[in-house]
Amino acid sequence: MLGHVVTDLDGAAHDVTQPRLLRRLRRELRGRAFDYLVAGGPCGTFSPLHVPQLRDTMHAGGKEGLPQRWSAAVAEANACWAATALLAWEIWLAGGEFVIENPVDRG
């Protein structure tokens, strides 16, 4: 209605941790193919109700000693968040704007 074009990236086909897709998106953001970025990464690992708790304010990158299944999930989420931050940096450098939904409990 407002004349904006929205490109939705979600799901495995749009995994921003994949180098080829990340390079393409960085190039497009740098070239101002987009005016703004609204992003949100995976939030399940941030839940204080998760059993076991995977993160807390003292261990934002993930708690030590987690079972392999959960440490792998945290590592995967961290890679996605790192790529999201990189995309925000690219659009900011190009003069665009960004918003990142942040599920982290800041206490």
Side-chain angles (χ1 to χ4, degrees), residues 3-5 28-29 32-37 91-92 95-98:
H4 296 280
V5 176
E28 289 174 354
L29 291 167
R32 290 302 306 266
F34 301 97
D35 295 319
Y36 56 90
L37 170 71
I91 199 164
W92 182 80
E97 302 289 335
F98 68 88

Side-chain angles (χ1 to χ4, degrees), residues 11-104:
H14 300 110
D15 180 354
V16 295
T17 65
Q18 296 303 308
R20 188 173 179 182
L21 177 60
L22 185 58
R23 279 193 306 272
R24 189 192 91 209
L25 291 172
R26 291 182 68 190
R27 187 173 53 250
E28 289 174 354
L29 291 167
R30 205 175 305 130
R32 290 302 306 266
F34 301 97
D35 295 319
Y36 56 90
L37 170 71
V38 178
C43 59
T45 61
F46 289 99
S47 174
L49 301 177
H50 193 284
V51 178
Q53 187 173 3
L54 305 177
R55 307 174 188 265
D56 60 25
T57 54
M58 299 303 294
H59 305 92
K63 288 186 163 187
E64 292 182 25
L66 291 171
Q68 173 59 29
R69 171 183 173 205
W70 296 117
S71 62
V74 170
E76 194 174 299
N78 288 348
C80 186
W81 280 106
T84 300
L86 190 56
L87 295 174
W89 178 250
E90 290 290 0
I91 199 164
W92 182 80
L93 287 175
E97 302 289 335
F98 68 88
V99 173
I100 299 176
E101 174 194 18
N102 187 351
V104 180

